[in-house]
Amino acid sequence: MRRLRLALTAFFALDGFVFAGWVVRIPAIKEQTGASAGDLGLALLGVSAGAVVTMTLTGRLCRRYGSHAVTVACGVLMPLSVALPPLAGSPLALGAVLLVFGAAYGGINVAMNSAAVDLVRALRRPVMPSFHAAFSLGGMVGAGLGGLVAGHLSPTRHLLGLTVLGLLITAAAAPTLLRHAAPAPAEERTAAESPRPARRTRPLVAVFGLIALCTAYGEGALADWGALHLQQDLGAHPGVAAAGYSVFALAMTVGRLSGTALLERLGQTRTLVAGGATAAAGMLLGSLAPSVWAVLVGFTVTGLGLANIFPVAIERAGALAGPSGVAAASTLGYGGMLLGPPAIGFMADWFSLPVALTSVAVLAAASAAIGYAVRGAGVRT
């Protein structure tokens, strides 16, 4: 199980690393394609559409072929697809290639979370945040590296380099997953995958998915629009703008590395409520502050608040209904991450980008309220 945990951790880190490498180059690709904020928002719908459609199918693929095999397959497709956006010459072409990238991104997130839920149940400890800490660490490294090379490498060369590194990581971690089946006892796995418990627990799974949506919206917003807010609205240097997502990812990493201890001490309800309230306060600062450094502080506080809400929601959905629960909650959760950026693009055209970013604070507060409302509904307090 130690080897499985390390291999799964590598895939979570790969996911964050590749995704962050893409998002820090969005300003350059926006300029390359001549897209307005609204055009970019429409193009980003390609990521959303590809991911959401794939997520609805990946739960079935995991039940048929196993979450390990599906994780490995998507671990090959995602690095390959990230090389495509720099080849687009128009917003329409960008949306088309992002559809492919989104499909690979959605698939790997459902598959690896399903595999992680099985391992968490076998370990009988709330270690789910540690996997998402690897995602955040990968995002921090990917964003930091992107900031360093932004002035020296074209988006094409940079993202092609991510493809090569991503395939190497998959090649190193894949054999462990392919050799070993999910460690959950067969009787538990059968119970979790049967349609009956999924029907009984469907409303509760939907609630956890809604909590995931409210918080993942903030992750997507900061990933796709944080650098642009710093650069466009506050005049930050491109390297400093790229660091905005890095500090957010670092805060998420720190929060998630301490997540197991936090959950064991506070329980799930207090963790959800405190996290949502903290993120709401941080994002109000990050969206409305007039200085670059105050915004970076706000992004940091937001990352700490959001850190453990999403992994707790996905783990609970998976514990209730197996891969079907993970797929349902992930579709809602990652749908929020992927649909949020286009929505912010439209709001930025209607109002302004800072005002649009305050929607992150509103949804973070909503997640805290929902987490408190379901405190007695199957949540360990």
Side-chain angles (χ1 to χ4, degrees):
M1 285 198 290
R2 282 196 300 271
R3 286 195 294 270
L4 280 177
R5 186 174 179 181
L6 285 173
L8 279 174
T9 298
F11 278 106
F12 274 86
L14 165 68
D15 187 30
F17 179 74
V18 172
F19 188 74
W22 143 247
V23 299
V24 299
R25 300 315 298 258
I26 285 176
I29 293 175
K30 176 179 181 291
E31 181 178 354
Q32 170 189 307
T33 58
S36 67
D39 291 335
L40 181 61
L42 285 172
L44 291 173
L45 279 174
V47 182
S48 308
V52 170
V53 169
T54 305
M55 285 173 177
T56 62
L57 301 175
T58 305
R60 299 176 187 176
L61 293 175
C62 288
R63 290 195 301 275
R64 182 169 182 178
Y65 300 106
S67 57
H68 290 184
V70 179
T71 298
V72 171
C74 294
V76 173
L77 293 175
M78 188 185 176
L80 289 174
S81 64
V82 79
L84 298 177
L87 305 180
S90 68
L92 181 61
L94 180 62
V97 298
L98 289 180
L99 186 69
V100 179
F101 178 66
Y105 179 75
I108 194 171
N109 276 287
V110 171
M112 68 186 184
N113 273 292
S114 296
V117 166
D118 284 337
L119 189 57
V120 168
R121 290 165 61 204
L123 293 172
R124 300 183 185 279
R125 289 192 67 215
V127 298
M128 194 70 168
S130 69
F131 293 114
H132 288 260
F135 173 86
S136 298
L137 181 60
M140 181 186 66
V141 174
L145 180 63
L148 290 174
V149 305
H152 306 286
L153 290 180
S154 67
T156 301
R157 291 183 177 181
H158 175 203
L159 297 185
L160 184 60
L162 295 187
T163 296
V164 174
L165 287 174
L167 292 175
L168 289 174
I169 294 170
T170 297
T176 299
L177 289 191
L178 295 177
R179 281 198 302 262
H180 301 285
E187 62 274 14
E188 290 185 16
R189 196 161 57 245
T190 300
E193 294 175 359
S194 67
R196 181 171 297 176
R199 285 196 298 267
R200 286 201 309 263
T201 60
R202 190 172 299 160
L204 191 53
V205 167
V207 168
F208 287 120
L210 184 59
I211 291 173
L213 182 153
C214 290
T215 55
Y217 178 97
E219 288 192 59
L222 285 173
D224 284 10
W225 293 102
L228 199 61
H229 171 51
L230 285 163
Q231 190 172 340
Q232 171 184 289
D233 298 321
L234 299 174
H237 183 274
V240 176
Y245 184 71
S246 294
V247 299
F248 172 76
L250 175 60
M252 293 277 283
T253 304
V254 171
R256 286 171 171 174
L257 286 173
S258 60
T260 297
L262 189 68
L263 285 167
E264 289 176 336
R265 178 170 184 149
L266 298 181
Q268 292 181 348
T269 295
R270 291 177 184 172
T271 300
L272 291 175
V273 173
T278 300
M283 200 57 213
L284 285 176
L285 177 64
S287 58
L288 300 177
S291 71
V292 170
W293 299 113
V295 169
L296 292 177
V297 170
F299 286 0
T300 302
V301 174
T302 303
L304 289 172
L306 295 180
N308 295 302
I309 301 176
F310 189 91
V312 168
I314 297 299
E315 187 274 330
R316 288 299 300 151
L320 287 166
S324 296
V326 173
S330 295
T331 300
L332 284 169
Y334 284 106
M337 178 182 290
L338 298 169
L339 291 172
I344 286 180
F346 298 138
M347 287 188 285
D349 272 351
W350 296 334
F351 307 107
S352 68
L353 184 53
V355 171
L357 287 172
T358 61
S359 62
V360 175
V362 172
L363 289 184
S367 73
I370 297 170
Y372 182 77
V374 298
R375 62 193 181 280
V379 183
R380 292 191 300 272
T381 56

Short mmCIF file of all heavy atoms in Angstrom, two decimals, residues 285-323:
data_model
loop_
_atom_site.label_atom_id
_atom_site.label_comp_id
_atom_site.label_asym_id
_atom_site.label_seq_id
_atom_site.Cartn_x
_atom_site.Cartn_y
_atom_site.Cartn_z
N LEU A 285 -10.29 40.17 -0.03
CA LEU A 285 -9.05 40.94 -0.05
C LEU A 285 -8.34 40.78 -1.40
O LEU A 285 -7.87 41.76 -2.00
CB LEU A 285 -8.13 40.47 1.08
CG LEU A 285 -6.74 41.13 1.16
CD1 LEU A 285 -6.88 42.63 1.43
CD2 LEU A 285 -5.90 40.47 2.24
N GLY A 286 -8.26 39.54 -1.89
CA GLY A 286 -7.54 39.28 -3.13
C GLY A 286 -8.16 39.92 -4.36
O GLY A 286 -7.45 40.25 -5.31
N SER A 287 -9.47 40.12 -4.36
CA SER A 287 -10.12 40.69 -5.54
C SER A 287 -10.23 42.21 -5.50
O SER A 287 -10.24 42.85 -6.55
CB SER A 287 -11.52 40.07 -5.71
OG SER A 287 -12.31 40.29 -4.56
N LEU A 288 -10.29 42.80 -4.30
CA LEU A 288 -10.58 44.23 -4.19
C LEU A 288 -9.41 45.07 -3.69
O LEU A 288 -9.48 46.30 -3.76
CB LEU A 288 -11.78 44.44 -3.26
CG LEU A 288 -13.09 43.77 -3.70
CD1 LEU A 288 -14.18 44.00 -2.65
CD2 LEU A 288 -13.54 44.27 -5.06
N ALA A 289 -8.34 44.45 -3.18
CA ALA A 289 -7.21 45.23 -2.65
C ALA A 289 -6.54 46.01 -3.78
O ALA A 289 -6.43 45.54 -4.91
CB ALA A 289 -6.20 44.30 -1.98
N PRO A 290 -6.03 47.21 -3.48
CA PRO A 290 -5.46 48.06 -4.53
C PRO A 290 -3.98 47.83 -4.79
O PRO A 290 -3.41 48.44 -5.70
CB PRO A 290 -5.68 49.47 -3.97
CG PRO A 290 -5.61 49.29 -2.48
CD PRO A 290 -6.21 47.95 -2.21
N SER A 291 -3.31 46.98 -4.01
CA SER A 291 -1.88 46.77 -4.20
C SER A 291 -1.59 45.30 -4.50
O SER A 291 -2.33 44.40 -4.10
CB SER A 291 -1.09 47.19 -2.95
OG SER A 291 -1.31 46.28 -1.89
N VAL A 292 -0.48 45.09 -5.20
CA VAL A 292 -0.10 43.72 -5.60
C VAL A 292 0.13 42.85 -4.38
O VAL A 292 -0.34 41.71 -4.31
CB VAL A 292 1.17 43.78 -6.48
CG1 VAL A 292 1.73 42.37 -6.69
CG2 VAL A 292 0.86 44.43 -7.82
N TRP A 293 0.84 43.37 -3.39
CA TRP A 293 1.19 42.54 -2.23
C TRP A 293 -0.03 42.19 -1.39
O TRP A 293 -0.13 41.08 -0.87
CB TRP A 293 2.26 43.25 -1.38
CG TRP A 293 3.51 43.48 -2.18
CD1 TRP A 293 4.02 44.67 -2.60
CD2 TRP A 293 4.36 42.47 -2.72
NE1 TRP A 293 5.15 44.48 -3.34
CE2 TRP A 293 5.39 43.14 -3.44
CE3 TRP A 293 4.37 41.08 -2.66
CZ2 TRP A 293 6.41 42.46 -4.09
CZ3 TRP A 293 5.39 40.39 -3.32
CH2 TRP A 293 6.38 41.07 -4.02
N ALA A 294 -0.97 43.10 -1.28
CA ALA A 294 -2.21 42.79 -0.54
C ALA A 294 -2.99 41.70 -1.27
O ALA A 294 -3.58 40.80 -0.65
CB ALA A 294 -3.06 44.04 -0.37
N VAL A 295 -3.01 41.75 -2.60
CA VAL A 295 -3.69 40.72 -3.38
C VAL A 295 -3.02 39.37 -3.17
O VAL A 295 -3.69 38.33 -3.01
CB VAL A 295 -3.72 41.10 -4.87
CG1 VAL A 295 -4.18 39.92 -5.72
CG2 VAL A 295 -4.64 42.29 -5.09
N LEU A 296 -1.69 39.35 -3.15
CA LEU A 296 -0.98 38.09 -2.93
C LEU A 296 -1.29 37.52 -1.55
O LEU A 296 -1.43 36.30 -1.39
CB LEU A 296 0.53 38.31 -3.09
CG LEU A 296 1.02 38.62 -4.51
CD1 LEU A 296 2.52 38.90 -4.51
CD2 LEU A 296 0.69 37.48 -5.47
N VAL A 297 -1.42 38.39 -0.54
CA VAL A 297 -1.82 37.92 0.79
C VAL A 297 -3.23 37.34 0.74
O VAL A 297 -3.51 36.28 1.32
CB VAL A 297 -1.75 39.08 1.82
CG1 VAL A 297 -2.40 38.67 3.14
CG2 VAL A 297 -0.30 39.49 2.05
N GLY A 298 -4.12 38.02 0.04
CA GLY A 298 -5.48 37.51 -0.10
C GLY A 298 -5.52 36.15 -0.78
O GLY A 298 -6.25 35.24 -0.35
N PHE A 299 -4.72 35.97 -1.84
CA PHE A 299 -4.65 34.68 -2.52
C PHE A 299 -4.13 33.59 -1.57
O PHE A 299 -4.60 32.44 -1.61
CB PHE A 299 -3.74 34.77 -3.74
CG PHE A 299 -4.33 35.50 -4.92
CD1 PHE A 299 -5.61 36.04 -4.86
CD2 PHE A 299 -3.61 35.66 -6.09
CE1 PHE A 299 -6.16 36.72 -5.95
CE2 PHE A 299 -4.15 36.32 -7.18
CZ PHE A 299 -5.41 36.86 -7.12
N THR A 300 -3.18 33.96 -0.71
CA THR A 300 -2.62 32.99 0.24
C THR A 300 -3.68 32.54 1.24
O THR A 300 -3.84 31.34 1.51
CB THR A 300 -1.42 33.61 0.98
OG1 THR A 300 -0.44 34.01 0.02
CG2 THR A 300 -0.81 32.61 1.94
N VAL A 301 -4.41 33.50 1.81
CA VAL A 301 -5.46 33.17 2.78
C VAL A 301 -6.55 32.33 2.11
O VAL A 301 -7.06 31.37 2.69
CB VAL A 301 -6.05 34.45 3.39
CG1 VAL A 301 -7.24 34.13 4.29
CG2 VAL A 301 -4.98 35.21 4.19
N THR A 302 -6.89 32.66 0.88
CA THR A 302 -7.89 31.88 0.15
C THR A 302 -7.44 30.45 -0.03
O THR A 302 -8.22 29.50 0.15
CB THR A 302 -8.15 32.52 -1.23
OG1 THR A 302 -8.56 33.87 -1.05
CG2 THR A 302 -9.22 31.75 -1.99
N GLY A 303 -6.17 30.25 -0.38
CA GLY A 303 -5.65 28.89 -0.55
C GLY A 303 -5.71 28.08 0.73
O GLY A 303 -6.07 26.89 0.72
N LEU A 304 -5.38 28.70 1.86
CA LEU A 304 -5.46 28.00 3.14
C LEU A 304 -6.90 27.61 3.46
O LEU A 304 -7.16 26.51 3.97
CB LEU A 304 -4.90 28.89 4.26
CG LEU A 304 -3.39 29.11 4.26
CD1 LEU A 304 -3.01 30.17 5.31
CD2 LEU A 304 -2.64 27.81 4.53
N GLY A 305 -7.84 28.50 3.15
CA GLY A 305 -9.24 28.20 3.45
C GLY A 305 -9.81 27.10 2.59
O GLY A 305 -10.54 26.22 3.07
N LEU A 306 -9.48 27.11 1.30
CA LEU A 306 -10.04 26.11 0.39
C LEU A 306 -9.36 24.75 0.48
O LEU A 306 -9.90 23.76 -0.03
CB LEU A 306 -9.93 26.62 -1.06
CG LEU A 306 -10.73 27.87 -1.45
CD1 LEU A 306 -10.48 28.20 -2.92
CD2 LEU A 306 -12.21 27.67 -1.21
N ALA A 307 -8.20 24.69 1.11
CA ALA A 307 -7.31 23.53 1.01
C ALA A 307 -8.00 22.18 1.18
O ALA A 307 -7.84 21.28 0.35
CB ALA A 307 -6.16 23.68 2.00
N ASN A 308 -8.76 22.02 2.24
CA ASN A 308 -9.25 20.68 2.59
C ASN A 308 -10.73 20.45 2.29
O ASN A 308 -11.23 19.35 2.50
CB ASN A 308 -8.99 20.42 4.08
CG ASN A 308 -7.51 20.36 4.38
OD1 ASN A 308 -6.78 19.55 3.82
ND2 ASN A 308 -7.05 21.24 5.25
N ILE A 309 -11.42 21.46 1.79
CA ILE A 309 -12.86 21.30 1.55
C ILE A 309 -13.12 20.34 0.40
O ILE A 309 -13.92 19.40 0.52
CB ILE A 309 -13.51 22.66 1.27
CG1 ILE A 309 -13.29 23.62 2.45
CG2 ILE A 309 -15.00 22.49 1.01
CD1 ILE A 309 -13.83 25.02 2.22
N PHE A 310 -12.43 20.54 -0.70
CA PHE A 310 -12.67 19.69 -1.87
C PHE A 310 -12.32 18.22 -1.61
O PHE A 310 -13.13 17.33 -1.89
CB PHE A 310 -11.89 20.23 -3.07
CG PHE A 310 -12.23 19.55 -4.36
CD1 PHE A 310 -13.23 20.04 -5.18
CD2 PHE A 310 -11.55 18.42 -4.77
CE1 PHE A 310 -13.55 19.41 -6.37
CE2 PHE A 310 -11.86 17.78 -5.95
CZ PHE A 310 -12.87 18.28 -6.76
N PRO A 311 -11.12 17.91 -1.06
CA PRO A 311 -10.82 16.49 -0.82
C PRO A 311 -11.77 15.82 0.16
O PRO A 311 -12.10 14.64 -0.01
CB PRO A 311 -9.38 16.50 -0.28
CG PRO A 311 -9.07 17.92 0.02
CD PRO A 311 -9.95 18.75 -0.83
N VAL A 312 -12.24 16.55 1.17
CA VAL A 312 -13.20 15.96 2.10
C VAL A 312 -14.51 15.63 1.38
O VAL A 312 -15.08 14.55 1.55
CB VAL A 312 -13.47 16.92 3.28
CG1 VAL A 312 -14.68 16.47 4.09
CG2 VAL A 312 -12.25 16.99 4.19
N ALA A 313 -14.98 16.54 0.54
CA ALA A 313 -16.24 16.32 -0.17
C ALA A 313 -16.13 15.12 -1.11
O ALA A 313 -17.03 14.28 -1.17
CB ALA A 313 -16.62 17.58 -0.94
N ILE A 314 -15.03 15.02 -1.86
CA ILE A 314 -14.87 13.92 -2.81
C ILE A 314 -14.71 12.59 -2.07
O ILE A 314 -15.28 11.56 -2.47
CB ILE A 314 -13.66 14.18 -3.72
CG1 ILE A 314 -13.89 15.44 -4.57
CG2 ILE A 314 -13.40 12.97 -4.62
CD1 ILE A 314 -15.08 15.38 -5.48
N GLU A 315 -13.95 12.59 -0.98
CA GLU A 315 -13.74 11.35 -0.23
C GLU A 315 -15.05 10.84 0.34
O GLU A 315 -15.36 9.64 0.29
CB GLU A 315 -12.73 11.59 0.88
CG GLU A 315 -12.30 10.33 1.63
CD GLU A 315 -13.22 9.98 2.78
OE1 GLU A 315 -13.80 10.91 3.36
OE2 GLU A 315 -13.37 8.77 3.08
N ARG A 316 -15.88 11.73 0.88
CA ARG A 316 -17.16 11.31 1.45
C ARG A 316 -18.10 10.78 0.38
O ARG A 316 -18.79 9.77 0.58
CB ARG A 316 -17.83 12.47 2.19
CG ARG A 316 -17.16 12.85 3.49
CD ARG A 316 -17.16 11.70 4.47
NE ARG A 316 -18.51 11.26 4.80
CZ ARG A 316 -18.83 10.04 5.14
NH1 ARG A 316 -17.91 9.09 5.18
NH2 ARG A 316 -20.08 9.73 5.45
N ALA A 317 -18.11 11.41 -0.79
CA ALA A 317 -18.95 10.92 -1.87
C ALA A 317 -18.50 9.54 -2.33
O ALA A 317 -19.31 8.66 -2.59
CB ALA A 317 -18.93 11.90 -3.05
N GLY A 318 -17.18 9.34 -2.40
CA GLY A 318 -16.66 8.04 -2.80
C GLY A 318 -16.91 6.97 -1.77
O GLY A 318 -17.21 5.81 -2.10
N ALA A 319 -16.81 7.32 -0.48
CA ALA A 319 -17.09 6.36 0.57
C ALA A 319 -18.55 5.94 0.57
O ALA A 319 -18.89 4.81 0.91
CB ALA A 319 -16.71 6.95 1.93
N LEU A 320 -19.42 6.86 0.15
CA LEU A 320 -20.85 6.55 0.13
C LEU A 320 -21.26 5.71 -1.07
O LEU A 320 -22.11 4.83 -0.96
CB LEU A 320 -21.66 7.86 0.12
CG LEU A 320 -21.70 8.65 1.43
CD1 LEU A 320 -22.21 10.06 1.18
CD2 LEU A 320 -22.58 7.94 2.44
N ALA A 321 -20.67 5.97 -2.24
CA ALA A 321 -21.16 5.33 -3.46
C ALA A 321 -20.07 4.87 -4.42
O ALA A 321 -20.34 4.65 -5.59
CB ALA A 321 -22.10 6.29 -4.19
N GLY A 322 -18.82 4.70 -3.96
CA GLY A 322 -17.78 4.17 -4.81
C GLY A 322 -17.46 5.08 -5.99
O GLY A 322 -17.65 6.30 -5.93
N PRO A 323 -16.97 4.50 -7.12
CA PRO A 323 -16.64 5.32 -8.28
C PRO A 323 -17.81 6.15 -8.79
O PRO A 323 -17.61 7.25 -9.31
CB PRO A 323 -16.21 4.27 -9.33
CG PRO A 323 -15.74 3.11 -8.53
CD PRO A 323 -16.61 3.08 -7.31
#
